[in-house]
Amino acid sequence: MMAARKPKPETVAAPEIAAVEKPPMNYIPNPVTFAGQTPRTRDDISLRDAIRARLSVVENAVIAFVDEKLSEGFAPAEIEELYALELPLLLGYRKDGGKIRVSYDAQIVERAG
C-alpha cells in the first residue's frame, strides 16, 4: 500500500501593486535668491518657507562640521584648504498634496591633493 500524497499548496496570484505616481519634480536654479524674495501667493509662501528650512539644515550641517574640525585643532584656513562644500546645481521640489517636499543636500568632501 502506498502512502497518500501530500496535497499541493494552492497558488494564489499576488495582487498587482499599482505604481504610486509621484508629482513632477520642479527645479529652482538659485534657491538662496528665491528664499530672499517677497512671496506673492500662498503657494509662494509655502515654497519659500520649505526652501528656507532646507537651506537652514544644510547651513547647520556645515557649521557643525567646521566646529568639529576647529575642536580637533584645525585652523580655519586649513579647513578651507583641505575640504570643499559641494552643492547641487538646482534645488528640486515636489508639491505632494498640500505639502511641499524639497530636495537639496550638500556634501563636504576632501580636496584632491
Side-chain angles (χ1 to χ4, degrees), residues 66 69-71 73-83 111:
V66 171
K69 293 300 173 190
L70 290 172
S71 70
F74 287 88
E78 289 176 310
I79 297 169
E80 188 171 340
E81 183 181 315
L82 295 172
Y83 299 96
R111 292 184 191 266

Side-chain angles (χ1 to χ4, degrees), residues 25-99:
M25 185 68 86
N26 299 297
Y27 296 97
I28 296 174
N30 191 341
V32 174
T33 299
F34 190 93
Q37 293 176 349
T38 302
R40 301 190 193 293
T41 66
R42 287 182 186 222
D43 285 347
D44 288 347
I45 293 170
S46 296
L47 180 56
R48 181 203 59 193
D49 291 348
I51 290 171
R52 284 181 175 177
R54 191 66 208 155
L55 290 175
S56 179
V57 168
V58 170
E59 179 184 24
N60 289 336
V62 171
I63 290 170
F65 177 82
V66 171
D67 286 345
E68 178 184 328
K69 293 300 173 190
L70 290 172
S71 70
E72 291 175 6
F74 287 88
E78 289 176 310
I79 297 169
E80 188 171 340
E81 183 181 315
L82 295 172
Y83 299 96
L85 176 65
E86 291 182 348
L87 295 169
L89 292 176
L90 303 171
L91 176 138
Y93 71 94
R94 281 192 169 94
K95 291 184 180 179
D96 190 7
K99 188 140 178 130

